[in-house]
């Protein structure tokens, strides 16, 4: 499974747009890029997934360049409640045999 | 209604004791997992079960024994607890064939185990 690298932490203020970039230089052709969010004392929660180009849902946008060696999670107009750890994962289809690898994640701290 | 529920939420116990953590999912998923999150916040898979069959068994000490009585339940029993077992243990589930990459996994809220 491809290894990912992301900043350990980021700071932002309420109302700002936050972009978190993840590097995955060894991504394989059949890997998908997925982002999870984890609040303190909770399990990770799915945010968004993409394979290439751009994906947008009600929570975030995911930008993936053509070479797919990196991806950027974009959170529009963050609020205090967006303070959490954000994990970038790359993994192929695998179901029960999938050993998801969570890296260090990025701790996003949103201030008023 | 909680999708993946774990009990207990907190567990404090002495070294050498035996303890169990229970997990139940009401999503109808047929695959369940145990993950361990250490003090540095790394999440690592320990076990996965598909329809009560053990699929993944990572290099986990054999003091850890998972048990799946049915596909909605996956329990974790730990013998002879050690200080290094202190961590947060997460149960998760997914639907075989319903996952794509890392999509489709639902995690519980975790069990914080402290061994003193």
């Amino acid at each position: 499974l491809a290894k990912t690298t992301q900043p350990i932490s980021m700071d932002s203020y309420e109302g700002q747009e936050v972009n978190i970039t993840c590097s995955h230089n060894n991504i394989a052709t059949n890997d998908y890029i997925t982002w999870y969010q984890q609040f303190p004392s909770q399990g990770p929660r799915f945010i968004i997934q993409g394979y290439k180009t751009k994906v947008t849902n009600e929570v975030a946008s995911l930008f993936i360049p053509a070479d797919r060696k990196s991806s950027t999670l974009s959170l529009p107009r963050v609020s205090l409640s967006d303070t959490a750890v954000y994990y970038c994962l790359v993994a192929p289809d695998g179901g029960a045999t999938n050993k998801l690898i969570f890296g260090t994640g990025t701790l996003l701290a949103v201030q008023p | 209604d909680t999708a993946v529920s774990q009990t207990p939420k907190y567990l404090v116990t002495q070294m050498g004791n035996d303890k169990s953590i229970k997990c139940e999912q009401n999503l109808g998923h047929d695959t369940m997992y145990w993950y361990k999150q250490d003090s540095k916040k790394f999440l690592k898979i320990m076990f996965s079960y598909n329809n009560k069959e053990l699929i993944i068994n990572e290099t986990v000490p054999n003091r850890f024994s998972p048990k799946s009585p049915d596909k909605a339940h996956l329990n974790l029993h730990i013998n002879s607890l050690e200080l290094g077992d202190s961590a947060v243990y997460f149960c998760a589930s997914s639907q075989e064939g319903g996952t794509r990459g890392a999509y489709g996994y639902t995690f519980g809220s975790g069990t914080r185990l402290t061994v003193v």
Side-chain angles (χ1 to χ4, degrees):
Chain A
L1 297 174
K3 187 176 177 181
T4 61
T5 304
Q6 35 182 142
I8 296 293
S9 63
M10 293 182 70
D11 293 321
S12 181
Y13 292 95
E14 282 192 293
Q16 287 188 332
E17 177 184 77
V18 171
N19 296 310
I20 306 174
T21 297
C22 177
S23 296
H24 27 80
N25 291 317
N26 297 321
I27 189 169
T29 305
N30 57 346
D31 283 337
Y32 292 86
I33 301 160
T34 314
W35 286 79
Y36 276 76
Q37 174 190 56
Q38 185 178 23
F39 296 114
S41 301
Q42 291 188 29
R45 184 182 72 158
F46 171 85
I47 302 178
I48 197 166
Q49 183 185 62
Y51 184 79
K52 60 181 178 181
T53 63
K54 176 185 174 182
V55 179
T56 297
N57 62 21
E58 66 278 5
V59 176
S61 294
L62 179 59
F63 299 91
I64 306 169
D67 66 5
R68 303 199 331 123
K69 292 183 183 299
S70 66
S71 58
T72 299
L73 174 72
S74 181
L75 304 171
R77 298 179 299 282
V78 294
S79 64
L80 295 176
S81 62
D82 291 316
T83 293
V85 177
Y86 292 83
Y87 292 97
C88 163
L89 294 88
V90 290
D93 286 339
T97 60
N98 221 341
K99 301 178 184 180
L100 298 185
I101 297 178
F102 288 78
T104 58
T106 298
L107 174 57
L108 172 65
V110 180
Q111 300 175 29
Chain B
D1 224 8
T2 305
V4 179
S5 59
Q6 301 178 224
T7 54
K9 190 169 179 62
Y10 300 97
L11 185 53
V12 181
T13 187
Q14 291 187 328
M15 284 175 55
N17 283 350
D18 303 337
K19 290 293 178 185
S20 293
I21 305 172
K22 296 185 176 182
C23 179
E24 176 182 4
Q25 55 95 2
N26 62 7
L27 298 167
H29 288 168
D30 50 24
T31 305
M32 296 185 72
Y33 312 81
W34 279 110
Y35 279 80
K36 177 181 179 181
Q37 188 168 42
D38 60 24
S39 57
K40 294 184 177 180
K41 303 298 184 184
F42 286 107
L43 260 167
K44 296 180 182 177
I45 190 166
M46 301 173 68
F47 303 102
S48 80
Y49 268 79
N50 178 254
N51 274 320
K52 304 190 296 177
E53 181 184 350
L54 181 64
I55 303 296
I56 294 176
N57 185 351
E58 281 296 270
T59 50
V60 176
N62 56 17
R63 298 181 295 104
F64 290 78
S65 53
K67 281 193 171 53
S68 181
D70 56 61
K71 72 175 192 178
H73 296 83
L74 180 60
N75 304 321
L76 183 64
H77 188 75
I78 314 171
N79 290 325
S80 304
L81 278 155
E82 301 177 357
L83 293 177
D85 297 332
S86 295
V88 181
Y89 292 84
F90 288 98
C91 178
S93 72
S94 68
Q95 180 62 34
E96 189 69 8
T99 60
R100 185 183 60 197
Y103 171 79
Y105 293 81
T106 303
F107 286 81
S109 58
T111 295
R112 181 174 294 278
L113 171 66
T114 304
V115 182
V116 297

